Amino acid sequence: MRLLHTSDWHLGRAFHRVSMLGAQAEFIGHLVTTVRERAVDAVVVSGDVYDRAVPPLAAVELFDDALHRLADLGVPTVMISGNHDSARRLGVGAGLIGRAGVHLRTEPAACGTPVVLDDAHGAVAFYGLPYLEPALVKDEFGVAKAGHETVLAAAMDRVRADLATRAPGTRSVVLAHAFVTGGEASDSERDITVGGVAAVPSGVFDGVDYTALGHLHGSQTITERVRYSGSPLPYSFSEADHRKSMWLIDLDAEGAISAERVDCPVPRALARIRGTLEELLADPRLVHQEEAWVEATLTDPVRPAEPMARLTERFPHTLSLVFDPERAPDDPDVSYARRLAGRSDQEIAEDFVAHVRGAGPDEREQAVLRDAFDTVRADESVREVAR
């Protein structure tokens, strides 16, 4: 069976205020063409179909168009919700849509109920594990502690239990939306840390032939059988070095796999350039960046006059301007944003406690802070879906 693995479409998302809707529509067309021309037997979409729980109408219309085009091909599609999606909204009409061969899996309780497709060698069971917010699903899975690994492990126990009841030789594919240990993150993924832990070990998915992951935006091979497709388009300048693609997976009669990357059309290259304003305007080595979307970091000790206007004369697609004067880390003029760069909410809160009272929080207080952040994020998820 030949699978096309994609994820993280983020329909409706902009790139630094530039609408990506046209590029997203071009990707959908590319996806449909690939399915047709490469004789794909099933499409798997591993979450974050939309960029937010309540997407704009244009994004919903594009998704509707994608569903119709995939259904018209007669090629089954299995799709799960991600942490950006509203699982309940995405799953509306799932039963009816499923009759057209597009199978939406958004309910945690259905993790152990597969979509079963057949090829010349027998059955392939597709299990959809939508994004599992630990605080919201721990009761469903009967786990005492809300954590990514515990809820995913419980969901996979249901998968393996169901698989054990099926005919010998039944092959299996799991779709999951999670941060798996060994994956490399970018700046455009929403933080899903719970209890100070975001990542889960790849061993959670042992026992299935292929795990099609979503969440991280770079295409990555965690193990031969556990892979991220990555997002089809860039959504932050941290993805400047990404090769945007989908995985074409061939699953043979014995469950062995072979994998090929299929490149996606990217509307414009990304470039990150750094230096003083005069250096950037004069450097002949930057000629290839002149037509790219540009993030320019200026290192001038004093902010120059009209930097964006001057930069866009040479780099007309400059979208982001960052000021980072070359200063010692202990210089009092180092910006607040620079001091906080790369630090988690938990670390910032602990630093604040240390600043206020002269000593950092002890283990009990650190746990209280973690619980507070986890509760707030879970509450925000509930309120966002309920809007």
Side-chain angles (χ1 to χ4, degrees):
M1 185 171 287
R2 173 165 285 185
L3 318 176
L4 187 63
H5 167 201
T6 177
S7 72
D8 296 273
W9 295 357
H10 288 279
L11 300 180
R13 186 165 184 161
F15 182 75
H16 289 268
R17 299 177 302 282
V18 173
S19 173
M20 297 292 277
L21 202 64
Q24 290 169 340
E26 185 178 358
F27 161 69
I28 296 299
H30 171 69
L31 170 72
V32 170
T33 298
T34 301
V35 171
R36 184 175 58 249
E37 294 183 351
R38 299 300 301 271
V40 169
D41 297 306
V43 177
V44 295
V45 186
S46 300
D48 282 353
V49 175
Y50 291 121
D51 188 57
R52 57 181 189 264
V54 186
L57 179 59
V60 177
E61 290 173 341
L62 181 54
F63 179 59
D64 181 64
D65 178 64
L67 292 182
H68 278 86
R69 296 174 73 178
L70 288 169
D72 287 345
L73 290 173
V75 175
T77 298
V78 185
M79 183 179 297
I80 62 172
S81 50
N83 62 299
H84 280 250
D85 299 308
S86 164
R88 292 185 66 184
R89 283 191 173 90
L90 187 64
V92 168
L96 186 62
I97 295 170
R99 297 180 189 177
V102 180
H103 305 278
L104 299 173
R105 290 294 183 263
T106 64
E107 292 293 334
C111 284
T113 304
V115 176
V116 180
L117 304 177
D118 293 297
D119 66 6
H121 306 292
V124 181
F126 290 78
Y127 297 90
L129 278 56
Y131 173 67
L132 302 174
E133 176 62 50
L136 302 182
V137 302
K138 67 182 183 69
D139 292 339
E140 165 64 35
F141 291 106
V143 298
K145 184 178 179 181
H148 289 299
E149 183 174 355
T150 54
V151 297
L152 267 173
M156 284 302 301
D157 285 344
R158 293 188 183 184
V159 168
R160 284 184 283 264
D162 179 85
L163 194 56
T165 68
R166 300 195 173 270
T170 299
R171 290 155 294 161
S172 54
V173 175
V174 163
L175 290 73
H177 197 87
F179 191 162
V180 175
T181 303
E184 183 177 342
S186 62
D187 293 341
S188 51
E189 298 109 5
R190 185 180 294 171
D191 181 30
I192 59 171
T193 301
V194 172
V197 178
V200 300
S202 61
V204 166
F205 301 104
D206 285 351
V208 297
D209 294 308
Y210 183 68
T211 300
L213 293 174
H215 180 56
L216 299 184
H217 288 183
S219 178
Q220 301 170 62
T221 300
I222 304 301
T223 71
E224 187 65 18
R225 295 184 181 274
V226 180
R227 299 170 186 259
Y228 284 99
S229 66
S231 61
L233 294 165
Y235 294 115
S236 73
F237 278 102
S238 64
E239 301 171 53
D241 294 330
H242 286 188
R243 174 186 164 193
K244 295 301 181 182
S245 59
M246 303 176 284
W247 283 113
L248 194 66
I249 302 294
D250 284 321
L251 188 66
D252 75 7
E254 306 301 323
I257 67 167
S258 59
E260 175 190 345
R261 288 178 71 178
V262 178
D263 290 328
C264 296
V266 176
R268 193 177 297 276
L270 306 187
R272 304 178 102 172
I273 59 178
R274 179 184 179 91
T276 67
L277 179 59
E278 296 303 328
E279 288 171 346
L280 298 182
L281 294 177
D283 191 343
R285 294 172 298 178
L286 299 179
V287 65
H288 297 298
Q289 281 72 45
E290 292 177 357
E291 293 304 315
W293 277 324
V294 168
E295 177 187 72
T297 300
L298 299 184
T299 59
D300 302 76
V302 177
R303 185 175 299 217
E306 299 184 330
M308 181 62 90
R310 296 175 65 189
L311 275 169
T312 53
E313 289 179 2
R314 182 179 184 187
F315 306 102
H317 305 289
T318 301
L319 300 182
S320 176
L321 186 57
V322 180
F323 293 96
D324 188 18
E326 298 290 358
R327 295 190 176 110
D330 57 354
D331 189 313
D333 289 331
V334 170
S335 73
Y336 180 69
R338 186 174 173 185
R339 293 198 303 272
L340 297 186
R343 301 184 67 75
S344 67
D345 291 343
Q346 176 86 15
E347 291 169 329
I348 293 168
E350 291 177 6
D351 286 349
F352 176 75
V353 172
H355 173 74
V356 169
R357 73 179 186 191
D362 59 25
E363 290 186 4
R364 182 186 65 81
E365 292 166 331
Q366 289 174 344
V368 169
L369 288 171
R370 276 196 299 271
D371 288 344
F373 283 121
D374 292 348
T375 300
V376 167
R377 195 188 63 256
D379 183 61
E380 287 178 343
S381 297
V382 172
R383 287 189 288 109
E384 187 175 49
V385 170
R387 282 193 302 166

